[in-house]
Amino acid sequence: MRTAEVVRNTNETKIKVAINLDGTGKQSLNTGVPFLDHMIDQIVRHGLIDIDITCDGDLHIDDHHTVEDVGITLGQAFAKAVGDKKGILRYGHAYVPLDEALSRVVIDFSGRPGLEYNIPFTRSHIGRFDVDLTREFFQGFVNHALVTLHIDNLKGFNAHHQAETVFKAFGRALRMALTEDPRNAGVVPSTKGVL
C-alpha cells in the first residue's frame, strides 16, 4: 500500500495529512479555507487519491500560512508514500478544459524540486481566496514532494475556472505519473538508477 501520514506543527499551523495513492477518490478536508478544500477535492477526484487533511491555522491573520503549509505537508506525504519510485511511470501530463478555460500540467517525480508557474489570473480574489496563494500551495508541494512541475493556464477569463482547470489537471497528471508500469516493475525509471 502506497500510503503515508504526516503531522506538521508550527507556531502558525497544526496540520495532519493522510494519503493513499491507490485510492478511489475519497476525501475528508478541513483546512479552514473553503476554496482550498474545493481545489484539493479536484486532486482527489481526478487523481483517484484518497486524502484526509485537518488544519488549525492562524486564519485570524490571513490564509497564507495555512495554504502554504498544507502544500508543504501534502508534499511531504507524497514523498513518503511514493517511496523509492520503483515501477512508476514517473512522468504525467494533462490538459483540462472548463468552459472557456484550459490548463496544462506536466509533472516529473524527478527527486528535484522545480516549479514553472504561469497562471495569468484575471482577478485578485476568488471569493475571499487570494489567487497569489495558489502559487504558494504549489511551491510548498514541489519543494517537499521533490518534483518538477510545469503549470500553464493557456486561456480563460473566469478566475474560478482558471484555478479549477489547474487543480483538475494536476490531479490527472499525478494519476498518470504514479501509475505502476508492469513492464518496468521493480525498476527505478531513470538511467541513474535512483530518483
Side-chain angles (χ1 to χ4, degrees), residues 26-89:
K26 296 177 184 171
Q27 53 83 6
S28 175
L29 305 171
N30 185 14
T31 67
V33 181
F35 188 75
L36 180 61
D37 289 349
H38 179 47
M39 292 299 102
I40 295 173
D41 190 36
Q42 304 308 317
I43 300 170
V44 168
R45 293 177 188 276
H46 293 276
L48 290 180
I49 299 163
D50 296 344
I51 300 179
D52 292 343
I53 300 175
T54 57
C55 177
D56 180 17
D58 56 0
L59 298 176
H60 60 284
I61 296 174
D62 72 5
D63 295 347
H64 187 284
H65 298 141
T66 292
V67 175
E68 180 181 25
D69 289 4
V70 166
I72 288 169
T73 312
L74 192 59
Q76 291 172 334
F78 269 79
K80 187 175 177 183
V82 76
D84 61 14
K85 304 172 192 160
K86 287 182 179 176
I88 65 169
L89 290 178

Side-chain angles (χ1 to χ4, degrees), residues 55-152:
C55 177
D56 180 17
D58 56 0
L59 298 176
H60 60 284
I61 296 174
D62 72 5
D63 295 347
H64 187 284
H65 298 141
T66 292
V67 175
E68 180 181 25
D69 289 4
V70 166
I72 288 169
T73 312
L74 192 59
Q76 291 172 334
F78 269 79
K80 187 175 177 183
V82 76
D84 61 14
K85 304 172 192 160
K86 287 182 179 176
I88 65 169
L89 290 178
R90 176 180 167 178
Y91 302 101
H93 63 274
Y95 285 82
V96 170
L98 175 56
D99 297 343
E100 87 300 341
L102 175 66
S103 292
R104 175 185 61 219
V105 174
V106 183
I107 193 166
D108 175 10
F109 275 81
S110 61
R112 297 180 307 276
L115 177 63
E116 291 293 326
Y117 177 95
N118 180 32
I119 307 177
F121 278 111
T122 56
R123 63 181 193 259
S124 65
H125 285 77
I126 302 168
R128 72 167 210 195
F129 186 82
D130 181 347
V131 298
D132 287 347
L133 298 182
T134 309
R135 184 184 188 108
E136 298 302 320
F137 172 84
F138 284 113
Q139 190 68 68
F141 180 89
V142 160
N143 288 348
H144 293 272
L146 300 177
V147 299
T148 301
L149 183 63
H150 288 249
I151 297 172
D152 293 285

Side-chain angles (χ1 to χ4, degrees), residues 161-182:
H161 292 174
Q162 289 176 287
E164 192 162 326
T165 56
V166 164
F167 278 87
K168 286 177 175 177
F170 180 57
R172 290 275 171 174
L174 283 170
R175 182 174 169 184
M176 178 186 290
L178 294 169
T179 295
E180 295 179 301
D181 182 359

